[in-house]
Amino acid sequence: MNAGKKSERRISIRFDLASGPRIGPGKIVLLEAIAETGSISAGARRLGMSYKKAWLLIDAFNNTFHEPVISTETGGEQGGGATLTETGKEILRLFKKLETEAGSATEATRKAFDDLVKAPPGKKK
Amino acid sequence: MNAGKKSERRISIRFDLASGPRIGPGKIVLLEAIAETGSISAGARRLGMSYKKAWLLIDAFNNTFHEPVISTETGGEQGGGATLTETGKEILRLFKKLETEAGSATEATRKAFDDLVKAPPGKKK
């Protein structure tokens, strides 16, 4: 049984921007979901997140960077679509790079943690 | 205004052990607090965590690794002290190593994020 979309990452990183706000998988996963579904509401639904929470996260995100991360079109028949701006795409790209870098750099140490773990029991509990 | 002990880390890492459980700053900060205060209840209090939650985290931690991470002495006049076992100390050591490795490996990329941030406003909001 998979633990759901939020937990697919084997390693997850959060970090503070120099200006204060924290960037982490929660916001990034939402950006990805919006990019893939083309709307904030569909992206939020996919993550089991309320529209309001998604909107607040995006609003904070939009106000963090030079430019908004999401561009929304209002008033259409579809109720408004949302696409990632160039800044939004760059943030996703950088975050994946960061995850890869951190994953590679910590591989031996994570292995050392695994060596401290007891052998999995024969029966799942 | 500092956001408190839990948020002192500029970069925070969570990762899944091969056997499933996730390791992250929440449990590690608790281990550190117990090591420094010498008891689960004092460590929990320092973090604003309930004793019950701390105990459950430590119990899960104790059952994750080859050996317990905390050794408790019950029945003493102090109401029982708690110390880190060698495994507990090793976990703290490895986690700090992991944070350092991830921090170094991602330094340039985190800088690239900062470059996407707008200049801090003159007035704090």
Side-chain angles (χ1 to χ4, degrees):
Chain A
M1 186 163 53
N2 290 322
K5 291 188 177 59
K6 277 188 173 177
S7 304
E8 278 172 12
R9 292 172 154 86
R10 292 291 304 276
I11 179 165
S12 79
I13 317 287
R14 289 165 180 76
F15 66 98
D16 297 331
L17 295 168
S19 59
R22 178 154 270 213
I23 304 287
K27 289 175 185 169
I28 297 294
V29 167
L30 176 60
L31 267 197
E32 287 173 342
I34 292 170
E36 287 167 18
T37 61
S39 88
I40 296 177
S41 57
R45 202 177 312 124
R46 178 189 283 191
L47 301 177
M49 184 185 286
S50 72
Y51 178 80
K52 184 180 176 184
K53 183 173 177 188
W55 191 88
L56 289 171
L57 284 172
I58 293 300
D59 190 51
F61 231 165
N62 278 344
N63 286 302
T64 296
F65 295 97
H66 282 303
E67 298 174 330
V69 297
I70 295 278
S71 167
T72 53
E73 292 152 25
T74 55
E77 292 187 2
Q78 307 284 333
T83 53
L84 263 58
T85 64
E86 288 307 311
T87 296
K89 289 174 189 168
E90 178 69 359
I91 287 167
L92 284 192
R93 193 189 69 76
L94 285 174
F95 198 82
K96 282 174 188 168
K97 184 164 181 281
L98 184 128
E99 286 185 315
T100 302
E101 291 164 344
S104 300
T106 61
E107 197 167 350
T109 305
R110 286 184 286 127
K111 175 70 170 56
F113 267 102
D114 286 330
D115 292 342
L116 288 177
V117 173
K118 64 177 147 193
K123 293 176 186 177
K124 287 174 189 166
K125 190 183 166 191
Chain B
M1 184 164 55
N2 291 321
K5 290 186 179 62
K6 276 187 175 176
S7 304
E8 279 171 12
R9 292 174 155 83
R10 292 290 305 274
I11 179 166
S12 78
I13 318 286
R14 288 165 182 75
F15 66 97
D16 297 331
L17 295 168
S19 58
R22 177 154 271 213
I23 303 288
K27 289 175 184 169
I28 296 294
V29 167
L30 177 60
L31 267 197
E32 287 173 341
I34 292 170
E36 287 166 18
T37 61
S39 88
I40 296 177
S41 57
R45 201 178 312 125
R46 177 189 283 191
L47 300 176
M49 182 184 287
S50 72
Y51 177 80
K52 183 179 176 183
K53 183 174 177 189
W55 191 88
L56 289 171
L57 284 172
I58 292 302
D59 191 50
F61 230 166
N62 277 345
N63 285 302
T64 296
F65 295 97
H66 283 303
E67 298 175 330
V69 297
I70 294 278
S71 167
T72 53
E73 292 152 26
T74 55
E77 290 185 5
Q78 308 283 334
T83 53
L84 264 58
T85 63
E86 287 307 311
T87 297
K89 289 175 190 168
E90 178 68 0
I91 287 167
L92 284 191
R93 192 189 68 77
L94 285 174
F95 197 81
K96 281 175 190 168
K97 185 164 181 281
L98 184 128
E99 286 184 315
T100 303
E101 290 165 344
S104 300
T106 60
E107 197 167 352
T109 305
R110 286 183 288 126
K111 176 69 171 56
F113 267 101
D114 286 331
D115 291 343
L116 288 176
V117 173
K118 62 177 147 194
K123 294 177 185 176
K124 284 175 190 167
K125 191 183 164 191

